[in-house]
Amino acid sequence: MKIETTIDSTVLWLSRLFGVLNLPISFIAVIDLSAIFIGDIPHTSEQWTGFLTAITVLVGAVAGLTIRRSNSPNRKMAHLLIAAFGLILTYGSLLRLVKTILFAGWLS
């Protein structure tokens, strides 16, 4: 019983942490989503990738911050995986962007 409680609390804590880390980038996602509603539809594959990443981060922030202690273990794990996926996409995209800017600027 003690191990299950520890695992549940760890999953709960990690999910909330990942949700908080997704939160700053999710504000950009809200701006991207509002641009779609005014008619600025993405045209290139890079724009679509950014748009889908923004949606994933928004969903990851919501999933990480809406987890409850009373949820079933399967639901807690689903919240954790969604929040972690949004975090991986976000910081992977940011890292690629920074590398592109730095190396394109220094090598050109």
Side-chain angles (χ1 to χ4, degrees):
M1 275 298 182
K2 183 66 174 164
I3 292 175
E4 290 176 11
T5 305
T6 305
I7 292 171
D8 277 350
S9 64
T10 303
V11 168
L12 189 71
W13 180 79
L14 281 174
S15 183
R16 288 179 179 163
L17 177 69
F18 292 164
V20 168
L21 290 174
N22 280 326
L23 197 58
I25 306 300
S26 67
F27 291 120
I28 296 170
V30 171
I31 294 169
D32 283 350
L33 290 173
S34 66
I36 291 292
F37 290 124
I38 61 171
D40 190 20
I41 298 172
H43 299 290
T44 65
S45 62
E46 291 86 11
Q47 290 174 338
W48 276 108
T49 301
F51 176 70
L52 295 175
T53 300
I55 290 174
T56 304
V57 171
L58 183 63
V59 169
V62 169
L65 296 174
T66 59
I67 192 168
R68 293 204 162 91
R69 188 171 297 279
S70 61
N71 289 349
S72 69
N74 290 338
R75 188 167 180 165
K76 286 180 188 175
M77 188 56 72
H79 279 258
L80 175 65
L81 291 175
I82 292 169
F85 186 63
L87 193 67
I88 290 168
L89 282 179
T90 300
Y91 291 101
S93 297
L94 288 175
L95 186 62
R96 276 194 308 273
L97 179 67
V98 168
K99 282 177 24 180
T100 302
I101 290 170
L102 290 178
F103 291 125
W106 286 346
L107 298 177
S108 61

